[in-house]
Amino acid sequence: MAVKTVLVTGGAGYIGSHTVLQLLLGGYKVVVVDNLDNSSETAIKRVKELAGKSKSNISFYKLDLRDRAALEKVFSSKKFDAVIHFAGLKAVGESVHKPLVYYDNNLIGTIILFEVMAAHGCKKLVFSSSATVYGWPKEVPCTEEFPLSAANPYGRTKLIIEEICRDIYNAESEWKIILLRYFNPVGAHPSGSIGEDPRGIPNNLMPFVQQVAVGRLPTLKVFGTDYKTRDGTGIRDYIHVVDLADGHIAALNKLDDPNIGCEVYNLGTGKGTSVLEMVKAFEQASEKKIPLVMVGRRPGDAEIVYASTGKAAKELNWKAKYGIDEMCRDQWNWASKNPYGYGSAENSSKKR
Ligand code: NAD
Ligand code: UFG
């Protein structure tokens, strides 16, 4: 089979860098475009190191998707078999305060990408959607048929892009599109060389726990202890980022199915874990105590969210392999080797 070339937008980021590595190890050629707004070129360097003899199969362009001319140039220089589109801003709280920044970056960037793809005859796409589109689900597990809603501008950009994808497929049936709804990606590559490196104070549970463990933050606030769950704290479906990355390879394979149109798949484990259970697993993996402060609920948070995994298992032939102990082990391995992520103590609080 001929070697496939994939364009990965946002490939220097957390999920993107892990996916690029799995692509290289799987024999793909990869072109990454990223404006490095929330990432570091060091991630690309480390991916190359981990890719061994496949390291020559990656090229990187620092560009913003909204720079149509720069994107055009990349598409003119190579023919892509498919695009995996990760690039976007993702901080829920920030999106509430700066909605226009989110609509501009996520929507305009995506529309320009799709226009340039269409102009160059590349109509195969895997898009990073999110379990956030299920809002506060009335029941669990969440199946792909659940009603969709958005609780904040970030979530609305995901929902709008999903709708754009359905519309362009309805208009032109040669498009083949897979929308992947991620649940809660955590952990890092087992080498400890690449992992999540959020700018500023982390919003998400595990990056926060990690920074408490390495002494960068004093305590973890547990948001809500009165949910109707086993221990009163919120329940989520945490998924190892390497499993998630492999889900993208499965989605790329599915794009070769002549019957695929615009399809959506959950990527989760199907298992729910509470905040306190996750903290305990991390304490065991790291042998560090995480001091906790119990506080009120975070506005907008759902009580219990976890995935129905049947559709991805059946149609993508993909299933998550790792459990929370492996997620915490690999997250700690990354954190202990890189307490300041890809940066240093001096530039760790750099903000957008
Ligand atoms: P990330 O911030 O680490 O990666 C996103 C990358 O996109 C960054 O490297 C950033 O610099 C780049 N980028 C942003 N806007 C760009 C633009 N206009 N042009 C070029 N590059 C741009 O985030 P991540 O956790 O790796 O998430 C990847 C995707 O998955 C995002 O679309 C995110 O919304 C989605 N997602 C993430 C989660 C999660 O919890 N991490 C959950 C569900 C969905
Ligand atoms: N939590 C705390 N303390 C913290 C951070 C989080 O107790 O400092 C709790 C939350 O209340 C929640 C759980 O930990 O119960 C997980 O919270 P995260 O912020 O890590 O994840 P969310 O499920 O709230 O949201 C994340 C992303 C969304 C995405 C969603 C599903 O932020 O963008 O996962 O993929 F849509």
Side-chain angles (χ1 to χ4, degrees):
M1 222 169 46
V3 174
K4 289 199 171 136
T5 305
V6 180
L7 179 80
V8 181
T9 76
Y14 172 45
I15 306 170
S17 56
H18 288 81
T19 303
V20 168
L21 177 59
Q22 297 307 92
L23 286 168
L24 292 171
L25 297 176
Y28 289 85
K29 288 194 169 172
V30 182
V31 174
V32 171
V33 294
D34 196 306
N35 64 4
L36 302 180
D37 183 76
N38 195 38
S39 51
S40 159
E41 201 171 340
T42 308
I44 300 287
K45 195 177 127 243
R46 302 245 180 119
V47 164
K48 277 190 191 165
E49 285 161 12
L50 292 169
K53 62 181 179 9
S54 301
K55 68 166 180 276
S56 55
N57 287 341
I58 176 174
S59 35
F60 171 66
Y61 296 91
K62 181 175 185 292
L63 65 83
D64 192 297
L65 287 183
R66 292 162 296 179
D67 182 349
R68 187 189 295 268
L71 195 59
E72 274 284 351
K73 228 169 150 182
V74 174
F75 273 83
S76 300
S77 70
K78 278 202 180 72
K79 190 158 171 42
F80 298 111
D81 294 287
V83 172
I84 305 182
H85 178 31
F86 292 105
L89 300 175
K90 62 164 184 177
V92 170
E94 186 185 54
S95 81
V96 174
H97 300 292
K98 301 178 184 170
L100 290 177
V101 171
Y102 273 66
Y103 290 127
D104 180 37
N105 190 80
N106 293 6
L107 299 184
I108 307 294
T110 298
I111 291 168
I112 290 175
L113 172 69
F114 291 176
E115 285 172 348
V116 175
M117 284 174 69
H120 290 265
C122 174
K123 296 185 177 175
K124 284 187 175 174
L125 170 76
V126 177
F127 171 63
S128 303
S129 188
S130 164
T132 193
V133 299
Y134 296 122
W136 181 299
K138 285 203 182 69
E139 50 180 333
V140 277
C142 301
T143 72
E144 287 83 351
E145 291 75 40
F146 270 23
L148 306 179
S149 65
N152 50 66
Y154 164 72
R156 211 155 354 260
T157 66
K158 293 294 176 200
L159 209 51
I160 294 169
I161 296 168
E162 281 205 7
E163 297 294 5
I164 291 174
C165 289
R166 286 184 269 272
D167 286 341
I168 57 180
Y169 169 69
N170 286 336
E172 279 185 64
S173 61
E174 66 265 36
W175 278 87
K176 292 178 180 293
I177 303 176
I178 292 187
L179 310 171
L180 296 176
R181 293 186 184 144
Y182 312 152
F183 282 67
N184 292 59
V186 298
H189 188 264
S191 62
S193 291
I194 54 172
E196 187 166 13
D197 181 21
R199 296 251 159 111
I201 308 266
N203 304 294
N204 297 116
L205 178 66
M206 293 313 284
F208 203 103
V209 167
Q210 168 184 322
Q211 292 199 9
V212 174
V214 299
R216 288 173 61 180
L217 293 166
T219 51
L220 171 74
K221 291 193 186 90
V222 176
F223 296 141
T225 51
D226 59 349
Y227 287 112
K228 285 193 223 75
T229 59
R230 315 185 260 283
D231 57 22
T233 64
I235 288 187
R236 294 291 184 275
D237 186 338
Y238 297 95
I239 173 168
H240 196 298
V241 66
V242 174
D243 272 333
L244 194 70
D246 286 337
H248 292 74
I249 313 277
L252 277 184
N253 290 334
K254 184 72 181 172
L255 288 177
D256 290 335
D257 179 341
N259 298 319
I260 190 102
C262 179
E263 272 301 331
V264 51
Y265 296 97
N266 287 337
L267 293 185
T269 65
K271 294 188 188 76
T273 304
S274 75
V275 175
L276 295 181
E277 288 165 347
M278 208 58 193
V279 169
K280 195 166 155 216
F282 190 87
E283 286 183 334
Q284 271 165 2
S286 63
E287 298 179 348
K288 297 271 177 193
K289 185 89 197 124
I290 305 296
L292 303 179
V293 185
M294 305 302 182
V295 299
R297 294 180 180 199
R298 184 169 63 176
D301 267 359
E303 188 164 68
I304 308 183
V305 185
Y306 60 89
S308 162
T309 56
K311 189 176 176 196
K314 189 161 163 251
E315 296 181 22
L316 297 182
N317 201 16
W318 170 91
K319 243 179 131 164
K321 294 194 282 282
Y322 300 113
I324 58 166
D325 292 338
E326 287 130 332
M327 298 176 210
C328 292
R329 176 199 66 197
D330 293 338
Q331 180 124 16
W332 174 241
N333 187 36
W334 153 252
S336 52
K337 288 181 175 156
N338 305 274
Y340 288 90
Y342 295 113
S344 58
E346 296 78 59
N347 67 14
S348 68
S349 62
K350 212 162 78 187
K351 274 211 157 137
R352 192 168 25 250

